[in-house]
């Protein structure tokens, strides 16, 4: 057996294993989401809203140069249905008019607020509160990055749970009640709960509410709609079922504050602070043999804008992959360790092989196949058949995710948008996904060069009614 | 090998094509159904409002309309209480909608039983009480939870004992059992007090949470005992309950709890003293705000602000006033 034969066998095994896992995940997700969607009709949301026993939540919005949308985001949060809520905006050293906009809109006044010192942060310049909406607190601090701003928000938070959301995100009216449901059902066990991120490009936002759901006009954003279905409705639902959810999106998640503080808060030296925190919570609680659950709820929606140009998208994906790499490196001791249960034995090895190195394997697969073929070791017919099979299977998995959305939540009200998504399935499997793998591979280069920081962010803003 | 790959490819393509056709056809059918339902609901809304006002329709409705109307009334029933909901219940009994939901409660599918148990709580019919009590023993947690919630919505006093047992044994999520008991009200209190001596501290704490909301000042004497419980969670719960119950019965004990060895118990005691309005606690609260750690110090400062603003102002005027006192004063000035 030659080296090329070994590589070929590994490639086929990799392909078979990855798709088998995806298939199993799809089955798990269909069962869970179908059951969840049926249970929605008898979710006691009104009771949770009316109950004095529903724990209050501090919503934390880290904001860096968000003058364009910060006021609307805060107004949107003030309209969210939840019995007791405070909103902590952390102005992370913005150089634009973020703070001024907040002052003008909400009549802020300085308050000598006592802040916890449980998590170290960059210097706090001051705290202001809204005269007419006392549940709004604005912490002004020196720039320290998103994780640092979240830590400052945790230090300022009053309530036992906090919800971290992006400053440009729009929560649906009942999103907090729904995402908090697992915590209400089992407060002694559930330490964190995440909701779904849906793509707001193309939607119309009025007074902080998405009032008209449409697909984005941009093809690139439309491709991400399908990608998000796969990631959230299949991946996260299945991992959550296995109690091995490794990420709660930084854009929308609720956490038990004291547990996060005890685990050390957000790690400020990574651009993947959301995945790192969740993994650290797993580690912290498993090291102490404490029973816990970290869950994903597929229904509470946070609408968020995604990049519409290749440059911004490539930066985002390289950053995500870098964050993953930094997280895996920091927690490398957990990989393969039975002590960490399903996290050490299943989730982390999967992420390492298929999510982190998978991109490299898939990118290298193309030239290797060509070399193999040029050396006469690969029949052209077999190569083409294998390629078609791989693309078709990938397309079917995306179709499975789209069908799951259609059979459960059906958030796209227009039939023609569903038709458009179906048409985009081909491009998503042949072209878009490979491009993603390329970006993720380039992130490995970024990691070896020890690249830091987030890079420039470009926001288009929502379409207004 | 290539032949196998070709067969698999064709099979996958066929599965894909069938899925796509199914999705398109289903979506078109659903869109038509939704349009029809919306139109029917808009047409029947005045009828539903008339029923809520006590004027049921004289003519019998078409079967399709009856379903839409029942759905509308159930939604109204979720928001209403008192005679309006009773009228909805009476009407839905006459149309057979209640009977249908009761039959669904015996369905083999658990999600149908859960949906029926939930719907019965919104229908406002007392006929559902017995079957819902039986549903508390269902083997599916979702069904039991929906039944508990509906028994609370209907205010079924006979359910108190079973709901208290559900609270203790966690056969339904505690928050649902607790909320059902809160909805039923003060008649739940006598059944809760034995739980204050339960072996499991989580049960004692849950009982205190509910007792604080449904009990009266007369229950305070029982709750005060729990301020000396070995579990800090229970002591904190007892302080919260005393704050909710009001009255000065537990004031002395609450003041002593300001020296509890656990910080969150001290914080709960401070909050409770503010709620019972014990101004004599002001010096102790000021001391807490001056010298304790974050949570109790902050709670002490806010309690002082609520109880005795003049005392707070004097404290803030003193040199070196703690940051908690300064915050409470600034927030009060808002």
């Amino acid at each position: 057996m030659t080296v090329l034969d070994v590589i070929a066998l590994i490639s086929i095994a990799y392909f078979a294993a990855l798709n088998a896992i995806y298939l199993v995940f799809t089955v798990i997700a269909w069962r869970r989401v179908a059951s969840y969607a049926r249970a929605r009709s008898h979710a006691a949301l009104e009771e949770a809203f009316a109950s004095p026993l529903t724990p209050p939540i501090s919503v934390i919005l880290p904001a860096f140069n968000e003058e364009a949308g910060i006021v609307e985001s805060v107004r949107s949060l003030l309209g969210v249905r939840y019995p007791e809520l405070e909103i902590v905006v952390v102005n992370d050293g913005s150089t634009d008019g973020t703070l001024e906009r907040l002052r003008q809109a909400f009549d802020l006044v300085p308050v000598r607020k006592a802040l916890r010192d449980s998590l170290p942060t960059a210097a706090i310049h001051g705290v202001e509160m809204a005269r007419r909406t006392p549940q709004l607190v604005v912490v002004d601090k020196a720039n320290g990055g998103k994780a640092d701003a979240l830590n400052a928000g945790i230090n300022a938070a009053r309530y036992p749970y906090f919800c971290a959301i992006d400053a440009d995100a729009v929560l649906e009216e009942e999103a907090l009640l729904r995402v908090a449901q697992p915590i209400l059902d089992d407060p002694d066990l559930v330490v964190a709960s995440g909701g779904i991120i849906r793509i707001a490009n193309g939607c119309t936002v009025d007074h902080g509410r998405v009032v008209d759901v449409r697909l984005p006009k941009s093809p690139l954003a439309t491709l991400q709609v399908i990608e998000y279905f796969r990631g959230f409705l299949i991946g996260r639902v299945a991992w959550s079922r296995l109690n091995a959810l490794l990420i709660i999106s930084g854009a929308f998640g609720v956490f038990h504050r004291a547990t996060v503080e005890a685990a050390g808060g957000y790690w400020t030296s990574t651009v993947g602070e959301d995945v790192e925190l969740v993994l650290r919570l797993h580690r912290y609680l498993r090291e102490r043999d404490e029973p816990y659950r970290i869950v994903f709820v597929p229904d509470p929606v946070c609408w968020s804008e995604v990049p519409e140009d290749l440059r911004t998208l490539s930066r985002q994906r390289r950053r995500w992959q870098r964050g993953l790499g930094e997280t895996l490196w920091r927690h490398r001791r957990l990989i393969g360790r039975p002590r960490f249960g399903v996290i050490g034995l299943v989730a982390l090895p999967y992420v390492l092989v298929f999510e982190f190195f998978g991109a490299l394997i898939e990118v290298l697969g193309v030239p290797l196949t060509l070399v193999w073929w040029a050396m006469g070791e690969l029949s052209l017919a077999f190569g083409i058949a294998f390629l078609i099979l791989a693309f078709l299977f990938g397309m079917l998995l995306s179709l499975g995710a789209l069908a799951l959305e259609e059979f459960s939540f059906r958030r796209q009200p227009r039939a023609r948008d569903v038709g458009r998504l179906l048409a985009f399935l081909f491009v998503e499997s042949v072209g878009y996904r490979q491009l993603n793998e390329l970006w993720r591979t380039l992130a490995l280069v970024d990691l070896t060069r020890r690249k830091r920081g987030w890079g420039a962010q470009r926001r288009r803003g929502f379409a207004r009614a | 090998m290539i032949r196998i790959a070709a067969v698999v490819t064709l099979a996958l393509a066929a599965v894909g094509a069938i899925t796509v056709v199914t999705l398109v056809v289903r979506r078109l059918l659903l869109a038509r159904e939704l349009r029809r339902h919306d139109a029917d609901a808009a047409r029947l809304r005045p009828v539903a409002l008339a029923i809520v006002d006590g004027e049921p329709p004289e003519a019998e409705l078409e079967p399709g309309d009856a379903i839409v109307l029942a759905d509308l009334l159930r939604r109204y029933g979720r928001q209403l209480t008192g005679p309006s909901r009773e009228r909805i219940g009476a009407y839905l009994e006459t149309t057979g909608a209640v009977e249908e939901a009761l039959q669904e409660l015996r369905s083999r599918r658990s999600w149908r039983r859960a949906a029926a148990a939930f719907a019965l709580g919104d229908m406002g019919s007392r006929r559902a009480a017995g079957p819902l009590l039986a549903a508390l023993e269902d083997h599916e947690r979702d069904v039991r939870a929906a039944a508990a919630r509906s028994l609370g919505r209907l205010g079924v006093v006979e359910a108190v004992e079973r709901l208290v047992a559900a609270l203790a044994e966690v056969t339904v999520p505690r928050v649902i059992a607790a909320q059902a008991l809160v909805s039923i009200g003060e008649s739940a209190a006598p059944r809760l007090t034995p739980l204050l001596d339960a072996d499991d501290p989580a049960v004692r704490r849950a009982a205190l949470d509910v007792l604080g909301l449904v009990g009266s000042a007369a229950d305070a004497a029982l709750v005060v005992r729990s301020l000396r419980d070995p579990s800090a969670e229970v002591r904190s719960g007892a302080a919260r309950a005393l704050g909710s119950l009001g009255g000065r019965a537990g004031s002395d004990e609450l003041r002593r709890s300001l020296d509890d060895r656990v910080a969150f118990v001290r914080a709960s005691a401070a909050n409770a003293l503010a709620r019972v309005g014990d101004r004599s606690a002001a010096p102790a609260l000021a001391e807490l705000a001056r010298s304790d750690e974050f949570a109790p110090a902050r709670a002490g400062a806010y309690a002082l602000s609520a109880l005795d603003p003049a005392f707070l102002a004097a404290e803030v005027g003193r040199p070196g006033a703690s940051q908690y006192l300064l915050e409470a004063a600034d927030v009060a000035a808002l």
Side-chain angles (χ1 to χ4, degrees):
Chain A
M1 190 178 271
T2 66
V3 174
L4 279 175
D5 288 339
V6 172
I7 292 173
L9 276 177
I10 291 173
S11 303
I12 290 172
Y14 173 86
F15 169 79
L18 181 61
N19 284 299
I21 291 169
Y22 281 159
L23 202 58
V24 171
F25 276 21
T26 303
V27 172
I28 294 174
W30 267 85
R31 288 174 63 96
R32 294 296 293 178
V33 172
S35 146
Y36 180 83
R38 282 196 297 259
R40 271 195 321 163
S41 70
H42 49 268
L45 290 186
E46 293 301 327
E47 283 71 19
F49 182 63
S51 174
L53 301 167
T54 300
I57 292 181
S58 301
V59 179
I60 303 175
L61 273 92
F64 175 70
N65 290 348
E66 297 282 357
E67 66 173 5
I70 190 69
V71 171
E72 180 135 29
S73 290
V74 172
R75 287 216 170 103
S76 148
L77 283 170
L78 288 169
V80 163
R81 287 188 81 217
Y82 199 82
E84 202 175 348
L85 195 69
E86 77 167 342
I87 297 154
V88 182
V89 180
V90 184
N91 179 42
D92 188 32
S94 295
T95 52
D96 66 355
T98 301
L99 190 57
E100 270 316 306
R101 292 278 169 99
L102 287 167
R103 281 176 178 151
Q104 283 164 14
F106 299 104
D107 190 15
L108 299 178
V109 288
V111 168
R112 292 167 289 183
K113 188 171 168 62
L115 301 172
R116 275 183 218 85
D117 55 3
S118 54
L119 303 171
T121 69
I124 305 291
H125 300 321
V127 178
E128 298 178 30
M129 287 177 77
R131 211 188 294 270
R132 285 187 297 275
T133 40
Q135 67 270 43
L136 174 62
V137 178
V138 177
V139 179
D140 183 30
K141 66 181 276 290
N143 181 257
K146 186 178 174 186
D148 193 68
L150 285 164
N151 284 339
I154 294 171
N155 283 343
R158 276 174 70 188
Y159 296 136
Y161 290 91
F162 74 87
C163 172
I165 85 160
D166 280 353
D168 65 329
V170 170
L171 283 190
E172 282 198 345
E173 201 177 10
E174 291 187 334
L176 263 186
L177 277 174
R178 288 189 189 279
V179 81
Q181 202 69 45
I183 294 168
L184 295 178
D185 286 352
D186 211 339
D188 295 332
L189 206 58
V190 178
V191 296
S193 171
I196 191 168
I197 308 298
R198 287 182 182 266
I199 290 172
N201 307 46
C203 300
T204 307
V205 177
D206 184 27
H207 290 90
R209 291 277 161 272
V210 172
V211 291
D212 186 17
V213 177
R214 299 259 174 123
L215 269 190
K217 288 197 177 82
S218 147
L220 200 57
T222 308
L223 289 167
Q224 291 171 76
V225 173
I226 300 171
E227 187 189 20
Y228 275 42
F229 284 162
R230 263 180 82 150
F232 282 93
L233 287 180
I234 304 288
R236 293 201 192 171
V237 168
W239 284 119
S240 174
R241 175 74 186 85
L242 301 171
N243 197 21
L245 186 67
L246 283 188
I247 180 161
I248 285 179
S249 172
F252 182 35
V254 174
F255 296 84
H256 186 243
R257 180 172 51 77
T259 308
V260 171
E261 282 176 322
Y266 285 91
W267 185 35
T268 54
S269 301
T270 180
V271 286
E273 76 293 327
D274 46 5
V275 64
E276 199 281 329
L277 175 68
V278 175
L279 182 51
R280 192 145 36 80
L281 287 176
H282 280 294
R283 181 178 184 167
Y284 176 83
L285 293 161
R286 282 180 186 269
E287 278 174 345
R288 283 154 187 78
D289 293 325
E290 287 182 30
Y292 73 98
R293 278 194 69 83
I294 294 175
V295 297
F296 172 73
V297 192
D299 185 25
V301 177
C302 174
W303 295 94
S304 188
E305 193 193 353
V306 297
E308 292 192 349
D309 62 283
L310 283 171
R311 201 162 160 216
T312 316
L313 183 63
S314 110
R315 265 207 301 263
Q316 182 198 56
R317 297 311 160 94
R318 286 168 76 162
R319 191 179 70 238
W320 285 359
Q321 190 73 351
R322 213 153 27 99
L324 182 66
E326 289 162 350
T327 301
L328 285 172
W329 181 248
R330 189 178 197 205
H331 298 283
R332 59 192 180 279
R333 243 175 28 83
L334 275 65
I335 301 171
R337 293 270 302 275
R339 167 146 195 224
F340 296 97
V342 69
I343 297 295
L345 296 177
V346 181
L348 282 176
Y350 167 87
V351 170
L352 182 71
V353 174
F354 296 111
E355 300 271 329
F356 188 66
F357 286 119
L360 181 66
I361 294 169
E362 287 177 36
V363 167
L364 285 181
V366 177
L368 274 175
T369 308
L370 289 175
V371 170
W372 205 24
W373 170 70
M375 291 174 69
E377 296 281 331
L378 173 74
S379 121
L380 184 63
F382 178 79
I384 291 172
F386 186 78
L387 208 62
I388 292 174
L389 190 63
F391 284 141
L392 197 59
F393 203 82
M395 223 164 9
L396 268 184
L397 289 169
S398 293
L399 180 61
L402 178 57
L404 180 54
E405 159 70 10
E406 270 296 288
F407 276 85
S408 52
F409 305 117
R410 239 181 3 260
R411 290 301 178 117
Q412 301 290 341
R414 301 194 318 167
R416 86 172 76 142
D417 281 347
V418 179
R420 196 156 158 249
L421 283 173
L422 286 169
F424 268 81
L425 279 179
F426 181 76
V427 188
E428 197 260 343
S429 296
V430 186
Y432 177 72
R433 215 176 295 163
Q434 291 70 29
L435 195 59
N436 245 309
E437 303 304 349
L438 183 65
W439 290 329
R440 288 165 62 189
T441 305
L442 290 173
L444 297 180
V445 180
D446 297 341
L447 274 167
T448 54
R449 287 180 178 171
R450 295 177 183 275
K451 187 174 176 182
R452 322 286 297 179
W454 281 58
Q457 307 283 300
R458 191 193 298 175
R459 303 215 190 280
R460 289 181 72 251
F462 300 120
R464 316 269 181 228
Chain B
M1 195 75 162
I2 294 172
R3 184 167 293 176
I4 294 172
V7 170
V8 174
T9 304
L10 279 175
L12 291 180
V15 170
I18 292 168
T19 311
V20 168
V21 171
T22 309
L23 285 181
V24 171
V25 172
R26 184 174 180 272
R27 173 52 87 118
L28 292 173
L29 291 175
L30 280 174
R32 202 172 63 178
E33 195 180 308
L34 192 66
R35 273 197 303 273
R36 193 185 301 158
H37 182 276
D38 286 350
D40 289 347
R43 183 167 48 80
L44 291 168
R45 200 158 287 131
V47 182
L49 290 172
I51 292 167
V52 173
D53 289 339
E55 296 163 23
E58 287 165 10
E60 199 166 311
L61 296 168
E62 295 289 317
D65 283 356
I67 292 170
V68 177
L69 185 63
D71 189 42
L72 275 175
L73 288 170
R74 257 191 331 104
R75 282 167 200 266
Y76 293 164
R78 198 173 293 177
Q79 316 292 336
L80 297 169
T81 52
S84 301
R85 202 161 59 135
E86 283 166 18
R87 284 195 284 270
I88 289 175
Y91 177 76
L92 292 176
E93 278 179 17
T94 61
T95 62
V98 172
E99 188 53 42
E100 274 173 31
L102 289 172
Q103 277 174 17
E104 281 284 282
L105 204 52
R106 294 190 289 273
S107 167
R108 285 174 59 195
R109 293 179 189 274
S110 64
W111 65 270
R112 280 177 175 259
R113 295 198 301 278
F118 190 88
L120 284 164
D122 295 336
M123 287 181 167
S125 164
R126 295 284 301 181
R127 274 186 56 203
L132 284 171
L133 270 168
L136 278 181
E137 306 299 324
D138 197 283
H139 59 274
E140 282 291 334
R141 185 174 153 117
D142 275 3
V143 182
R144 296 195 298 269
R149 173 257 180 201
S150 289
L151 286 163
R153 294 273 305 142
L154 295 171
V156 180
V157 177
E158 301 78 32
V160 165
E161 192 173 345
R162 306 274 282 280
L163 288 170
V164 168
L167 184 79
E169 292 154 21
V170 208
T171 52
V172 302
R174 279 216 163 102
V175 70
I176 290 187
Q179 187 56 35
L181 288 164
V182 171
S183 300
I184 292 170
E186 60 185 20
S187 51
R191 295 280 181 189
L192 284 164
T193 46
L195 292 189
L196 300 184
D197 296 317
D199 291 337
D200 182 355
V203 175
R204 301 200 294 276
R205 188 186 65 183
L208 284 164
D209 282 344
V210 185
L211 196 57
L213 297 167
V214 303
S216 61
D219 296 308
L222 279 170
V223 174
V224 164
R225 278 193 300 132
S226 299
L227 284 175
R228 295 185 294 274
D229 195 280
S231 158
E233 290 282 357
V234 176
R235 295 199 299 279
S236 174
R240 277 197 309 273
L242 285 169
S244 301
L245 290 170
R248 304 286 282 273
S251 275
D252 293 344
E253 292 279 349
L254 279 172
R255 275 203 303 278
R256 270 194 282 280
S257 291
L258 293 177
D259 295 322
D260 195 284
R261 64 185 182 279
V262 177
F264 65 81
V265 180
R266 299 197 294 276
S268 297
N271 290 330
L273 282 163
R275 296 191 69 179
V276 300
D278 182 3
R279 289 184 69 177
S280 67
L285 290 169
E287 179 55 31
L288 202 69
R290 275 195 296 268
S291 57
D292 210 327
E293 59 189 88
F294 189 92
R298 192 169 184 280
Y302 275 86
L304 188 60
S305 169
L307 274 178
D308 197 337
F311 200 115
L312 174 68
E315 282 292 315
V316 168
R318 287 164 60 166
S322 82
Q323 53 185 337
Y324 310 103
L325 291 163
L326 296 173
E327 176 187 334
D330 283 356
V331 171
L334 287 174

